[in-house]
Amino acid sequence: MVIALAAAGCGDAAAPAGPAATSALTKPPIRVGFLNPSGGPVPQPGAATGARAALSYLNGEFGGLHGHPVELVSCDTDTTPERAQSCANTFVEKQVVAVMDGYNLSSSAALPALTAAGIPLVGMIPFDSVTGAKAENRVFFAAPQASFLVGALQAFQSAGKKSVTLALVDTPSSHQTIDNLLPVLAKTLGIEAKGIYFSPTNPNFTAVASAIAQDNPDVGGLVAAPSEAVCTALVKALRQQRYQGTIFTAACTDYIKGAPRQAAGGALYSSNWLPAASRYAPPEVQSDLALAQRYIEAVPDSVPGYYAFGEFSLFVTFAKAMSAAPESDLTGPGVLKTLKGLKDFPSFLGPNITCGSTTSPNCTTQMLLFSVQSDGTVKPVTDTWITPVPQVLAAIPGAV
């Protein structure tokens, strides 16, 4: 594996050598940037695990991109626009052909410099609502944030649940969800919905759990989780409050391992298949999950979980798309043209995607909702991918 780690304001640091297969890739490396969300008040260290695992796979077993090794230029972000802008300048200087978004809350600040340099931003879910509101110079292989909330509440309503209270970390982009989206969604679906915030730096989950439990909603939990630790803390606090409704834990799964029987009946969403759902997945997905898990677990100090598998999926889908395109497209404009042109393309661990919408950077609106089983596995609540109500998504900038 060939990785160049370029922190904003710092020099390159060569990573340890990876698989021997990399030495067989004799063509010049293709540089790809990575907005690494491992720092700041809302870190996602699992994304870095997924990126490192994917590079090991791509430069080894996968065979590189048309025989070129992939070189990763990783820049640590801290959720601030200033750091995102600094990272963008680093990527332009290093002449990367694309930048991979690691579920960053301030990725939009990197876009002006990247767009001017003809370098596309590629991700799974745009956590920055400004990034997700337009399609220019960006492609996201998974659904927009709104899809997960809309799809989950659709499924809850279909199951007869009439009230929800959901918490979200208090950031500027969160207010788009709680203040604007949730009321519209509740009215459209005919359910009661309440949103509450918690501090990104000093959260009090006892207070959050108390606020959820006092209304005794049918569903209580998280809109999105900044980390597995947040899920575990809130689930523990809700149990202490003796909350009896469905505990909704966004995309978290780690809390299940510690007490699967107590977790049974809970719910979580995902943009892709997860290892805990392998038993219920199609055979080809089971094979892909095993491959991803093997590489993710081999990463030193691995942080497995939703973000690791999501980032691994991002890199592999990107590599498969570019490997199917001419070698001459391994440039910024070529990458953007190739990805925008994907039609009914099988994404890794996800649904078939069609990109190139003029109004949305997302290539799908589909998502999965899982129910936690007493044996610790998670089972899809529907036989197919859930497609959120188009009329609701149409009211959200950039969602469709």
Side-chain angles (χ1 to χ4, degrees), residues 230-382:
V230 165
C231 284
T232 300
L234 182 58
V235 170
K236 180 179 179 181
L238 284 169
R239 289 183 184 136
Q240 291 174 341
Q241 293 287 332
R242 301 188 182 279
Y243 172 66
Q244 297 299 311
T246 297
I247 298 179
F248 181 47
T249 55
C252 295
T253 57
D254 278 6
Y255 75 97
I256 301 171
K257 300 172 187 176
R261 289 185 180 276
Q262 288 180 299
L268 57 111
Y269 60 58
S270 180
S271 59
N272 47 263
W273 285 92
L274 300 171
S278 180
R279 176 188 303 178
Y280 311 101
E284 64 275 14
V285 173
Q286 293 180 3
S287 176
D288 286 345
L289 279 169
L291 182 149
Q293 192 158 15
R294 174 160 53 92
Y295 278 90
I296 286 171
E297 290 178 349
V299 172
D301 301 318
S302 176
V303 182
Y306 174 80
Y307 294 104
F309 281 86
E311 202 70 20
F312 189 95
S313 299
L314 167 64
F315 276 79
V316 175
T317 298
F318 169 81
K320 289 190 171 187
M322 297 314 302
S323 293
E327 184 176 356
S328 58
D329 280 353
L330 291 175
T331 64
V335 167
L336 185 64
K337 180 190 73 173
T338 295
L339 299 185
K340 290 282 190 182
L342 294 178
K343 305 296 181 187
D344 200 28
F345 187 82
S347 66
F348 188 81
L349 297 182
N352 285 5
I353 58 176
T354 294
C355 309
S357 166
T358 58
T359 57
S360 172
N362 299 88
C363 301
T364 184
T365 62
Q366 294 182 308
M367 46 80 74
L368 291 169
L369 186 70
F370 297 102
S371 175
V372 181
Q373 309 298 297
S374 59
D375 62 357
T377 61
V378 297
K379 182 178 181 180
V381 301
T382 58

Side-chain angles (χ1 to χ4, degrees), residues 117-257:
I119 301 170
L121 178 67
V122 186
M124 288 294 281
I125 305 167
F127 270 26
D128 183 331
S129 60
V130 176
T131 298
K134 293 184 179 180
E136 181 189 9
N137 201 51
R138 67 209 82 166
V139 177
F140 284 79
F141 296 142
Q145 284 195 67
S147 278
F148 297 95
L149 183 58
V150 174
L153 294 191
Q154 277 180 215
F156 290 141
Q157 185 219 34
S158 297
K161 301 182 187 301
K162 299 179 180 179
S163 57
V164 299
T165 300
L166 300 175
L168 191 58
V169 62
D170 194 354
T171 64
S173 61
S174 298
H175 285 261
Q176 165 69 19
T177 300
I178 295 293
D179 301 345
N180 301 328
L181 173 58
L182 197 58
V184 173
L185 179 56
K187 183 177 180 180
T188 302
L189 295 177
I191 59 176
E192 296 179 17
K194 179 180 178 181
I196 55 179
Y197 298 103
F198 60 89
S199 168
T201 56
N202 189 31
N204 183 337
F205 291 111
T206 298
V208 174
S210 177
I212 292 173
Q214 70 179 2
D215 293 330
N216 194 30
D218 295 329
V219 180
L222 294 161
V223 174
S227 71
E228 291 280 357
V230 165
C231 284
T232 300
L234 182 58
V235 170
K236 180 179 179 181
L238 284 169
R239 289 183 184 136
Q240 291 174 341
Q241 293 287 332
R242 301 188 182 279
Y243 172 66
Q244 297 299 311
T246 297
I247 298 179
F248 181 47
T249 55
C252 295
T253 57
D254 278 6
Y255 75 97
I256 301 171
K257 300 172 187 176

